[in-house]
Amino acid sequence: MDFTFTEEQRAATEAARAVFSGVAPDGVASPALVPGAVAEDIDRPLWAGLAAGDLLSLTLAPEHGGAGLDMVALCLVLRESAKVLARVPLLETCAVAMAVQRYGDRELAAELLPLVGRGSLVLTVGANGRTGHDPAELAVTARPDGGSNSNSNRTSRGSGSGSRATNGTETSWVLDGVQSAVPWAQAADWIAVPAHTLDHRTVVALVRRDDAGVTIAEQVSTSGELFGEVTLDAVRIEGRRLIDAAGAWEWLRSVLTTGTCARALGLGEAVLAMTSQYTGKREQFGFPVATFQAVAVQTADRYIDLRAMEVTLWQAAWRIGVGGTGPLPPAGDVAVAKIWASEGVRRVVQTAQHLHGGLGADTDYPLHRFHAWAKQIELSLGPAAAHEEALGDLLAAHALD
């Protein structure tokens, strides 16, 4: 297996490092010191910088003004973003844009995606359902406008087709339900919402924040960011804003999960670097504590965690991008990557806190921020236990040679 990155992927990494180089992880109030969110908006100057560096259009096709790169390239950029705790919906916007490009109405894609690349359109997605424990698509219902579910109102399904009735006229849809913990919902222009239809299909609805019937209640993430509980009360959308292609939501969720693994890797690498720097300077009994065997063993274990997180991440990103054959579908690789990411990032920050001693909890030192973000990432889109269960189901359903 060759994990050598292409010239284009390396260029994307260098561009990301240049954009993120001026970002300070402690540029906003500490989540430990404020009762609510650390800020009311995303980092708009950084968002503009990402657009200027062509990083928001990285995975878009050339006809939409993009570079046409793959999931691996996006993960390389996300990895760099997590090293500075970048407060932007980079993953959510890119993932939804990729889903629209792959499965959505072609005319709608032509309208929205160039705006995404220029940074003038912010996208997010509700992937947590009502409680975070049940499948997200079960939290919202989508029904044809008028409530009919007869054969005459059944929609065609297929990549790029949007949602159109079999007689050729466009079907509008009505959405009801709640999606909780939607990242930066108040800052987003459009929100992708998974839903289920009356005939038990999973679809993805593209809802505007200012659509009639959409209300957003303030929520605060573990990392102190402003999230939102999005309530849909008889929200009507035109048919082309509903993606009903088979497997669209599962693919979008896999992209989000794999991107979360990339963020876990970047954050873990930054924390281990902080720990190595600190233990190399901190002395006890006249020697740097990094020279003590107990410290060296713990940091070595965390290095191994990061390398396991890295190899499973690239495997999952590659499977999403090109498919490829294997004993399990790509969902299996995604589950393995998220298991390692959730467990690994937790162990890395816990070891860092231990080796930093009291300094690790000092709100004037950035480590406590990384710890809060690590907990948010660990649980996002399911903790390790949830993905272990999903992996077990896949193993039970697929005979392995």
Side-chain angles (χ1 to χ4, degrees), residues 296-316:
V297 167
Q298 290 182 71
T299 53
D301 285 343
R302 300 297 78 83
Y303 177 82
I304 293 171
D305 278 334
L306 291 173
R307 297 290 69 79
M309 292 164 64
E310 184 176 17
V311 71
T312 54
L313 164 65
W314 301 134
Q315 173 72 8

Side-chain angles (χ1 to χ4, degrees), residues 227-251:
F227 281 18
E229 181 183 71
V230 178
T231 300
L232 308 174
D233 184 9
V235 176
R236 284 172 168 78
I237 64 170
E238 55 187 324
R240 67 178 189 152
R241 285 165 56 186
L242 187 124
I243 300 174
D244 63 354
W249 168 241
E250 289 76 10
W251 186 86

Side-chain angles (χ1 to χ4, degrees), residues 153-246:
N153 262 343
R154 290 185 183 273
T155 56
S156 61
R157 302 169 67 185
S159 176
S161 66
S163 175
R164 300 183 184 275
T166 54
N167 62 6
T169 61
E170 190 175 80
T171 302
S172 58
W173 291 80
V174 179
L175 307 171
D176 289 281
V178 177
Q179 288 287 346
S180 185
V182 179
W184 291 293
Q186 293 85 345
D189 301 293
W190 292 66
I191 304 171
V193 179
H196 65 281
T197 65
L198 301 178
D199 56 353
H200 308 295
R201 291 186 291 111
T202 297
V203 297
V204 179
L206 300 173
V207 177
R208 290 179 59 95
R209 179 165 49 88
D210 57 0
D211 280 336
V214 176
T215 57
I216 302 176
E218 179 177 321
Q219 294 180 315
V220 180
S221 71
T222 301
S223 54
E225 297 300 333
L226 183 61
F227 281 18
E229 181 183 71
V230 178
T231 300
L232 308 174
D233 184 9
V235 176
R236 284 172 168 78
I237 64 170
E238 55 187 324
R240 67 178 189 152
R241 285 165 56 186
L242 187 124
I243 300 174
D244 63 354

Side-chain angles (χ1 to χ4, degrees), residues 4-374:
T4 303
F5 298 119
T6 66
E7 182 178 347
E8 292 82 3
Q9 291 166 347
R10 291 195 297 270
T13 303
E14 292 303 318
R17 287 173 179 166
V19 173
F20 293 125
S21 62
V23 179
D26 53 359
V28 292
S30 166
L33 299 178
V34 294
V38 296
E40 295 181 355
D41 198 5
I42 62 176
D43 188 339
R44 293 289 177 175
L46 176 57
W47 192 250
L50 290 169
D54 295 327
L55 294 174
L56 298 180
S57 60
L58 198 67
T59 57
L60 300 181
E63 59 261 33
H64 301 309
L69 298 187
D70 58 7
M71 184 65 193
V72 172
L74 176 59
C75 285
L76 286 167
V77 176
L78 290 168
R79 179 187 191 178
E80 297 303 317
S81 75
K83 293 179 181 179
V84 296
L85 306 183
R87 301 180 48 262
V88 287
L90 176 61
L91 169 58
E92 294 80 9
T93 293
C94 290
V96 174
M98 291 166 66
V100 171
Q101 177 174 263
R102 184 182 180 99
Y103 295 105
D105 180 86
R106 291 183 177 87
E107 293 180 359
L108 184 64
E111 293 175 15
L112 298 185
L113 299 186
L115 299 176
V116 170
R118 294 197 292 268
S120 56
L121 193 70
V122 178
L123 308 177
T124 191
V125 55
N128 294 300
R130 181 182 290 272
T131 66
H133 299 288
D134 299 321
E137 63 272 18
L138 298 183
V140 175
T141 60
R143 68 181 189 278
D145 198 356
S148 173
N149 196 40
S150 64
N151 289 336
S152 63
N153 262 343
R154 290 185 183 273
T155 56
S156 61
R157 302 169 67 185
S159 176
S161 66
S163 175
R164 300 183 184 275
T166 54
N167 62 6
T169 61
E170 190 175 80
T171 302
S172 58
W173 291 80
V174 179
L175 307 171
D176 289 281
V178 177
Q179 288 287 346
S180 185
V182 179
W184 291 293
Q186 293 85 345
D189 301 293
W190 292 66
I191 304 171
V193 179
H196 65 281
T197 65
L198 301 178
D199 56 353
H200 308 295
R201 291 186 291 111
T202 297
V203 297
V204 179
L206 300 173
V207 177
R208 290 179 59 95
R209 179 165 49 88
D210 57 0
D211 280 336
V214 176
T215 57
I216 302 176
E218 179 177 321
Q219 294 180 315
V220 180
S221 71
T222 301
S223 54
E225 297 300 333
L226 183 61
F227 281 18
E229 181 183 71
V230 178
T231 300
L232 308 174
D233 184 9
V235 176
R236 284 172 168 78
I237 64 170
E238 55 187 324
R240 67 178 189 152
R241 285 165 56 186
L242 187 124
I243 300 174
D244 63 354
W249 168 241
E250 289 76 10
W251 186 86
L252 175 54
R253 183 178 172 85
S254 291
V255 171
L256 292 167
T257 305
T258 304
T260 301
C261 295
R263 297 173 67 201
L265 175 62
L267 186 149
E269 289 175 330
V271 168
L272 187 61
M274 291 171 58
T275 305
S276 297
Q277 183 178 25
Y278 175 75
T279 57
K281 294 180 178 180
R282 177 74 167 90
E283 291 189 0
Q284 286 185 355
F285 311 111
F287 296 94
V289 296
T291 62
F292 299 168
Q293 185 178 30
V295 174
V297 167
Q298 290 182 71
T299 53
D301 285 343
R302 300 297 78 83
Y303 177 82
I304 293 171
D305 278 334
L306 291 173
R307 297 290 69 79
M309 292 164 64
E310 184 176 17
V311 71
T312 54
L313 164 65
W314 301 134
Q315 173 72 8
W318 175 75
R319 288 295 305 276
I320 290 175
V322 303
T325 59
L328 294 177
D333 298 284
V334 173
V336 171
K338 189 55 165 67
I339 292 167
W340 273 104
S342 292
E343 295 285 357
V345 77
R346 175 177 54 79
R347 288 193 290 259
V348 168
V349 294
Q350 285 180 343
T351 296
Q353 289 280 176
H354 174 64
L355 296 181
H356 274 84
L359 182 63
D362 190 336
T363 56
D364 290 329
Y365 188 72
L367 182 59
H368 75 287
R369 297 174 183 265
F370 284 88
H371 202 155
W373 276 71

